[in-house]
Amino acid sequence: MFRRLLESVLFPHKKINKTRLNNAINGKTIVVTGASFGIGSELCLLLSHYNVHLVLVARTRSVMEELAQKIEANGSTAAIIAADLYDDEQIEQTINQLLQLERIDYFISNAGKSIMRSLARSLDRYHDITRTNALNYLTPARMILALTPLLAKSKGTVINVSSMIVLLLPAPMWCAYQASKTAFDNWFRGNWAEWKHMGITAKSIYYPLVKTRMIAPNPKYANALAMEADQAAIRICRLIYRNKPAQKPWWGVAPQAASFFGKRLWNKYSYVKVSSKG
Ligand SMILES: NC(=O)c1ccc[n+]([C@@H]2O[C@H](COP(=O)([O-])OP(=O)(O)OC[C@H]3O[C@@H](n4cnc5c(N)ncnc54)[C@H](OP(=O)(O)O)[C@@H]3O)[C@@H](O)[C@H]2O)c1
């Protein structure tokens, strides 16, 4: 009960302004990576009520086929690109397929991989670093670079689905995920002015924990305070029609300030915590 109350304060229930969203996306082509599950899937369902053409990108074709049926039942159209975005050849094929589109009005870079593991348990797991970097940084950067001319022609918008963790100090256990998300966020924000010059709008959304498959394997998060996936998707819809470059929780400035002012304390505390685990 208390937990629910706290969640409703931290992640207040938001609604979509249907008129504004409709004005922004009706008749548009929207590419969503990581469309098969979690935030991406919820987002596609929400957008499908506004006569859009959705291009779904992820690995699990069967799930995307079911999603495409729901999208079409809601009055929109859907195309599926089933691709493993770790695989060089499949990334290239995905880009080529996307370049066949007449236009891309919104490219929502949402596919991602999270990992939480201590350094001690990561010594033989260099692949945690290569995989998180591949999916969270290198592949989206590669796709967006290749699609930039088409996005410019369409006067399109690129949205980076990011995490609050990139706004905080380096966190033990989260290094691989945080480094990859932070690298992409820096790359993305660094291009902002040039994209603007080309007529492309770039926006970022920084999530707290969201109740999806991504956090499910971690028992520590079973009772953690987290946003519902549909509410996370609603926040992307709102970002689409609102004239602001970024969205983060209303309390987002507090952990940022704590990171800035409590740097010494944080370093000391995190050292003790990790070293006490051996
Ligand atoms: N959940 C959170 O607490 C949280 C917090 C902050 C930020 N975020 C960010 O939100 C985004 C969406 O995460 P989510 O919570 O919705 O996670 P999710 O439910 O695990 O969904 C991840 C999506 O990415 C796709 N994907 C994963 N590996 C892929 C690959 N190799 N090739 C192609 N697609 C791949 C998955 O589809 P397939 O498995 O079908 O390929 C799935 O559709 C991520 O960028 C994440 O970093 C999440």
Side-chain angles (χ1 to χ4, degrees):
M1 174 73 182
F2 179 66
R3 197 170 139 252
R4 278 193 163 271
L5 185 72
L6 209 53
E7 279 185 342
S8 69
V9 173
L10 291 174
F11 320 117
H13 191 87
K14 297 281 182 188
K15 285 189 178 159
I16 292 171
N17 181 324
K18 293 182 179 173
T19 310
R20 288 182 74 186
L21 185 58
N22 188 55
N23 289 343
I25 65 172
N26 194 309
K28 306 285 189 193
T29 296
I30 305 174
V31 178
V32 180
T33 70
S36 52
F37 295 100
I39 298 167
S41 151
E42 294 286 344
L43 176 67
C44 291
L45 280 177
L46 286 176
L47 298 175
S48 66
H49 293 282
Y50 297 86
N51 177 38
V52 292
H53 179 54
L54 281 157
V55 183
L56 319 175
V57 184
R59 288 171 300 187
T60 318
R61 179 183 286 282
S62 58
V63 175
M64 288 192 288
E65 281 170 353
E66 277 175 39
L67 181 60
Q69 281 177 12
K70 290 181 190 161
I71 289 169
E72 280 161 20
N74 288 341
S76 287
T77 54
I80 293 170
I81 302 180
D84 183 348
L85 297 180
Y86 290 135
D87 183 288
D88 202 56
E89 209 172 300
Q90 294 186 43
I91 298 167
E92 204 53 41
Q93 281 169 5
T94 304
I95 290 171
N96 288 335
Q97 277 180 268
L98 292 173
L99 287 172
Q100 303 301 314
L101 293 166
E102 263 173 41
R103 53 187 301 118
I104 296 180
D105 299 291
Y106 292 91
F107 181 87
I108 301 176
S109 179
N110 169 73
K113 175 180 175 56
S114 160
I115 214 134
M116 184 200 185
R117 188 165 281 125
S118 71
L119 177 66
R121 291 201 299 120
S122 303
L123 302 181
D124 58 351
R125 294 187 60 97
Y126 172 61
H127 58 269
D128 283 348
I129 297 178
T130 54
R131 283 185 195 158
T132 44
N133 270 287
L135 195 61
N136 299 340
Y137 173 30
L138 300 174
T139 301
R142 176 173 169 183
M143 292 176 80
I144 295 170
L145 280 177
L147 298 174
T148 285
L150 183 55
L151 282 159
K153 199 178 109 195
S154 320
K155 299 279 171 250
T157 297
V158 210
I159 296 182
N160 169 20
V161 178
S162 192
S163 165
M164 280 292 296
I165 204 167
V166 312
L167 306 173
L168 308 178
L169 284 172
M173 316 268 221
W174 284 103
C175 312
Y177 179 65
Q178 189 178 23
S180 62
K181 284 295 224 189
T182 304
F184 185 62
D185 182 62
N186 276 2
W187 179 85
F188 191 84
R189 287 187 294 123
N191 286 318
W192 191 86
E194 282 185 79
W195 278 328
K196 190 177 175 200
H197 191 66
M198 296 175 189
I200 299 172
T201 306
K203 298 183 175 189
S204 306
I205 184 156
Y206 301 96
Y207 283 126
L209 275 185
V210 182
K211 293 174 192 168
T212 66
R213 205 176 62 139
M214 186 170 271
I215 65 165
N218 193 331
K220 284 189 182 150
Y221 290 130
N223 291 313
L225 297 170
M227 189 184 277
E228 298 293 339
D230 61 336
Q231 277 292 311
I234 285 175
R235 281 158 170 80
I236 298 185
C237 294
R238 288 162 59 87
L239 185 62
I240 284 175
Y241 61 74
R242 292 173 92 194
N243 189 20
K244 55 192 272 192
Q247 161 75 43
K248 57 186 156 190
W250 63 265
W251 44 264
V253 72
Q256 274 185 280
S259 280
F260 185 77
F261 293 111
K263 198 171 174 178
R264 292 183 77 160
L265 206 61
W266 172 249
N267 284 344
K268 195 171 166 197
Y269 169 74
S270 55
Y271 167 75
V272 171
K273 191 162 180 251
V274 171
S275 63
S276 71
K277 285 191 164 208

